[in-house]
Amino acid sequence: MDPSAKEGETATGGEPDGGAAPSSGVVVQVREKKGPLRAAIPYMPFPVAVICLFLNTFVPGLGTFVSAFTVLCGARTDLPDRHRCCVFWLNIAAALIQILTAIVMVGWIMSIFWGMDMVILASHKEQRIPQQV
C-alpha cells in the first residue's frame, strides 16, 4: 500500500471509499444460460402459474404436468426453435423426474423451485405487457 495515501482513501484519486466514485464507463451484461428443461418452462398467465406452484408444493410434479398442457395451448417458452410437441414432452419429462425423485426429497424440492420459476416468468411477462382496460 502507498504510505502517502491516508486511511479511508483509495489509491486512485483520494476519494473516500464510502463515496460515490464515478464509474469507468464499462457496461457488463450477464445472461443466464438455461438448459433445455429449464428453458421449456412456459410463460403462463400469473394466476395459472400460482396454481401450478401450489400444485407442485403439495403434489410434486403435478403443477409441471399441468404447465406442459399450457404449451399445447400456445404458451411461449425460451425454446423458439423447437416444435410445441417437443417442448410439451420436455415438460412431461421434467414432471416425471420430479415425481420419481420425490421419494428422496430431491424431486419435491425441484418441484417447488420449478413452480417458483413459473411464477417469476409469469410476473416478468405481466410487467412487460401492460394490461388493457
Side-chain angles (χ1 to χ4, degrees), residues 1 6-10 14-18:
M1 181 164 180
K6 295 179 187 172
E7 192 174 318
E9 292 182 350
T10 62
E15 293 286 326
D17 288 334

Side-chain angles (χ1 to χ4, degrees), residues 49-132:
V50 171
I51 290 169
C52 288
L53 171 61
F54 181 79
L55 292 173
N56 271 348
T57 302
F58 295 104
V59 183
L62 184 59
T64 307
F65 186 75
V66 169
S67 75
F69 288 97
T70 64
V71 173
L72 294 179
C73 294
R76 191 178 63 82
T77 65
D78 288 332
L79 293 172
D81 55 332
R82 298 225 179 156
H83 194 267
R84 273 196 186 137
C85 289
C86 179
V87 177
F88 169 77
W89 287 111
L90 281 172
N91 279 293
I92 294 295
L96 288 175
I97 291 169
Q98 292 168 6
I99 291 167
L100 294 175
T101 59
I103 298 167
V104 292
M105 298 293 289
V106 173
W108 184 58
I109 294 167
M110 177 186 173
S111 184
I112 292 171
F113 278 110
W114 218 259
M116 290 184 339
D117 282 342
M118 290 179 203
V119 172
I120 289 168
L121 288 175
S123 66
H124 288 311
K125 178 185 172 191
E126 295 270 328
Q127 290 174 357
R128 276 192 239 149
I129 302 172
Q131 300 259 342
Q132 294 180 0

